[in-house]
């Protein structure tokens, strides 16, 4: 392979793409200008909405008039919060901003309190379940149930305000009862807690940025992949290009490296733009975090993030080049790319669900492992070295298989010059030529598929046969010949490769017999 020719093709295609206004807009202007603007605007709008809702009238549902009268009687005794070290009201609003809850409550009496909350007729529901000693303020005890929808901002704010109000009333009553017994409050409280907020801008970005980086890396590679494959078909220049005295492998390598470069450029600019937004745009404060310095963003993790994006960009670029290689026009390529985007985002969204950790099968889940790695890195989570290695290794293997598939697709005459090219024509056995050894691309493709399959099988066996290591090893002894001998032999037969030289089944020389004997004895 002539690297000088690859470099020439790469530089030519890259210059052509960067001269295109659409590429510059999609790769540079959008991440640098549009995304920070959208992020700041969205967070600011959410902040304004939250502030507006917090000043609205609170619609509270009760199940009876008696409950309403009891609650109004209690709320009438609400006092302004006191900044006392020995109470749980340390984080309440300042006294001058205090507005009694009873002045902003609208009561709704309903028979079905749960339905009223779920249908948004009321913000939250309050139900009194038990009252003890209602006639004696010093002995009265009341049990409440708060019905709230935590995913609704009005319901969440109403519940929080109601709970805070009754917490203040309860503290006031406790102080009255202790005063009547001549007992100080600090003698009664056995424990004192100070809340330390460990939320950082990095952890906040960890919820948003991984999906954004995955999406921007994918979308940055879409246009150049379409232009360098379907665009060549549509312009009628691919046939002319293929008759040039340049091997197909070098032509594919130059085009492919161009797509990878554009994808990495888009991801890098997007990461830098979001980081600048956090530092200089006040995004951390708008998201409601504590006042923190810019160093809260884990700068040491950014090089690892960029390093992790390289195999992912290779993977997405190779898949797009392989898929777009079957198309004949921009319109057809766009239709083909849509399922690729959905297939990429699905494991990313699964990995971003609460509770998902970078362990077990998630270490090798395509795309999902990358999202979890970026999330933990940007959140400042301590990662073991093997976790980073496993993610990078598995993604690199997938990328190698995707590159092999792209090379097979782009190099086939049935794909290049047939009007009805498809994946089926790529895999038809009658279209495959006989050869002694499998190609490097075919070997990489099988390894890329074998790696996650064997990883999942091992994890499944260890979970199903906990503590029974003999059974685990027995199953592995049965399955290893299938995956490492029988399936490769079937693949070699299908692709018309010779089994003996490919699998090294010729008679071995004495030194190899001695080496095998020593390995077995060890």
């Amino acid at each position: 392979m002539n690297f000088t020719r690859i470099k020439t093709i790469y530089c030519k295609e890259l210059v052509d793409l960067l001269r295109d206004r659409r590429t510059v807009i999609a790769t540079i202007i959008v991440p640098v200008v549009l995304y920070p603007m959208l992020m700041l605007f969205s967070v600011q709008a959410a902040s304004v909405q939250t502030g507006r809702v917090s000043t609205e009238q609170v619609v509270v549902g009760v199940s009876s008039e008696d409950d309403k009268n009891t609650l109004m009687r209690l709320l009438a005794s609400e006092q302004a919060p006191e900044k006392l070290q020995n109470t749980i009201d340390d984080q309440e609003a300042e006294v001058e901003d205090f507005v009694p809850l009873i002045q902003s409550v609208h009561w709704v009496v309903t028979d079905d309190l749960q339905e009223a909350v779920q249908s948004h007729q009321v913000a939250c529901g309050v139900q009194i379940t038990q009252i003890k000693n209602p006639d004696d303020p010093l002995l009265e005890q009341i049990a409440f149930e708060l019905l709230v929808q935590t995913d609704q901002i009005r319901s969440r704010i109403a519940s929080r305000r109601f709970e805070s109000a009754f917490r203040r009333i309860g503290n006031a009553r406790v102080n009255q009862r202790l005063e009547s017994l001549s007992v100080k409050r600090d003698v009664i409280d056995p424990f004192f807690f100070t809340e330390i907020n460990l939320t950082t801008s990095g952890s906040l970005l960890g919820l948003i940025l991984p999906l954004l980086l995955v999406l921007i890396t994918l979308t940055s590679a879409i246009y150049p992949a379409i232009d360098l494959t379907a665009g060549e078909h549509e312009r009628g220049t691919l046939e002319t290009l293929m008759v040039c005295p340049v091997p197909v492998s070098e032509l594919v390598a130059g085009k492919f490296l161009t797509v990878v470069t554009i994808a990495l450029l888009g991801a890098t600019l997007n990461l830098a733009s979001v980081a600048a937004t956090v530092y200089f745009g006040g995004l951390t404060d708008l998201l409601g975090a504590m006042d923190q310095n810019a160093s809260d963003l884990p700068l040491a993790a950014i090089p690892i993030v960029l390093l992790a994006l390289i195999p992912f960009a290779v993977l997405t670029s190779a898949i797009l080049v392989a898929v777009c290689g079957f198309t004949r026009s921009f319109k057809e390529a766009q239709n083909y790319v849509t399922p690729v985007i959905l297939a990429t985002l699905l494991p990313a969204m699964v990995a971003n669900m609460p509770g998902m950790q970078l362990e077990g099968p998630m270490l090798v889940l395509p795309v999902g492992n990358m999202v979890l790695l970026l999330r933990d890195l940007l959140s400042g989570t301590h990662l073991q070295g093997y976790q980073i290695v496993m993610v990078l290794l598995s993604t690199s293997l997938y990328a190698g298989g995707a590159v092999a598939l792209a090379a097979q697709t782009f190099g086939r005459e049935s794909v290049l010059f047939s009007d009805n090219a498809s994946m089926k024509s790529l895999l038809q056995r009658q279209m495959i030529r006989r050869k002694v050894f499998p190609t490097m691309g075919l070997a990489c493709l099988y390894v890329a598929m074998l790696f996650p399959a064997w990883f999942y099988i091992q994890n499944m066996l260890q979970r199903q046969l906990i503590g029974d290591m003999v059974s685990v090893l027995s199953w592995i002894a049965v399955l290893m010949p299938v995956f490492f001998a029988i399936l490769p032999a079937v693949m070699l037969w299908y692709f018309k490769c010779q089994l003996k030289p490919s699998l090294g089944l010729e008679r071995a020389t004495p030194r190899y017999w001695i080496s095998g004997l020593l390995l077995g004895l060890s």
Side-chain angles (χ1 to χ4, degrees), residues 117-429:
V117 175
Q118 292 177 341
S119 61
H120 304 163
Q121 298 176 24
V122 298
C124 72
V126 182
Q127 189 169 357
I128 298 177
T129 58
Q130 188 178 21
I131 301 179
K132 293 182 179 179
N133 306 315
D135 299 327
D136 189 349
L138 291 178
L139 299 177
E140 184 179 24
Q141 292 180 317
I142 303 176
F144 301 97
E145 281 185 354
L146 285 176
L147 284 74
V148 58
Q149 283 188 311
T150 55
D151 59 336
Q152 299 293 325
I153 184 172
R154 284 182 173 82
S155 183
R156 190 168 61 248
I157 290 178
S159 174
R160 186 168 62 244
R161 290 183 64 185
F162 205 90
E163 185 178 0
S164 299
F166 275 90
R167 191 173 291 166
R168 284 192 291 270
I169 296 171
N171 283 327
R173 290 200 169 191
V174 169
N175 291 332
Q176 292 174 1
R177 295 175 183 182
L178 292 177
E179 186 177 351
S180 67
L181 297 174
S182 300
V183 178
K184 294 183 179 181
R185 178 62 183 264
D186 56 4
V187 176
I188 296 298
D189 292 334
F191 305 109
F192 301 91
F193 299 95
T194 300
E195 181 179 334
I196 300 177
N197 192 344
L198 298 179
T199 303
T200 65
S201 57
S203 61
L204 294 173
L205 285 178
L207 300 176
I208 304 172
L209 195 52
L211 280 176
L212 186 61
L213 283 174
V214 167
L215 184 60
I216 198 66
T217 304
L218 179 62
T219 54
S220 297
I222 287 176
Y223 175 74
I226 294 176
D227 184 70
L228 297 180
T229 53
E232 297 277 10
H233 279 292
E234 196 170 38
R235 292 188 295 267
T237 57
L238 184 60
E239 289 80 0
T240 305
L241 188 64
M242 294 302 296
V243 298
C244 294
V246 178
V248 175
S249 59
E250 297 177 5
L251 182 63
V252 173
K255 289 179 173 289
F256 170 71
L257 290 176
T258 304
V259 179
V260 173
T261 302
I262 298 297
L264 285 175
L265 179 61
T268 303
L269 288 176
N270 187 79
L271 179 61
S273 180
V274 173
T277 304
V278 173
Y279 278 107
F280 307 114
L283 181 61
T284 302
D285 296 333
L286 290 176
L287 288 174
M290 300 295 290
D291 291 335
Q292 296 172 340
N293 299 322
S295 59
D296 290 332
L297 184 67
L299 293 178
I302 291 181
I304 304 179
V305 171
L306 293 176
L307 177 64
L309 285 175
I310 294 176
F312 179 72
V314 173
L315 173 62
T316 55
S317 300
I319 293 175
L320 289 172
V321 170
V323 170
C324 295
F326 289 101
T327 61
R328 295 296 178 269
S329 64
F330 263 89
K331 184 177 180 180
E332 185 181 358
Q334 290 170 351
N335 293 333
Y336 279 37
V337 162
T338 301
V340 175
I341 297 176
L342 295 178
T344 302
L345 290 182
L346 183 60
M349 290 187 293
V350 170
N352 211 36
M353 292 175 61
M356 288 295 180
Q357 300 294 328
L358 189 59
E359 58 188 14
M362 297 304 296
L363 283 169
V364 296
L365 178 67
V367 184
N369 58 357
M370 187 61 60
V371 171
L372 289 174
L373 177 63
L374 299 181
R375 184 197 68 183
D376 291 345
L377 289 173
L378 294 172
S379 300
T381 304
H382 177 70
L383 291 172
Q384 300 292 333
Y386 80 93
Q387 293 176 302
I388 299 177
V389 171
M390 284 294 293
V391 173
L392 296 181
L393 176 62
S394 60
T395 306
S396 298
L397 286 175
Y398 304 147
V403 171
L405 180 61
Q408 292 280 343
T409 303
F410 207 85
R412 287 292 182 90
E413 292 183 3
S414 59
V415 175
L416 288 174
F417 305 117
S418 176
D419 291 334
N420 56 353
S422 64
M423 185 64 72
K424 183 179 179 180
S425 65
L426 180 66
L427 298 177
Q428 285 180 343
R429 194 165 186 266

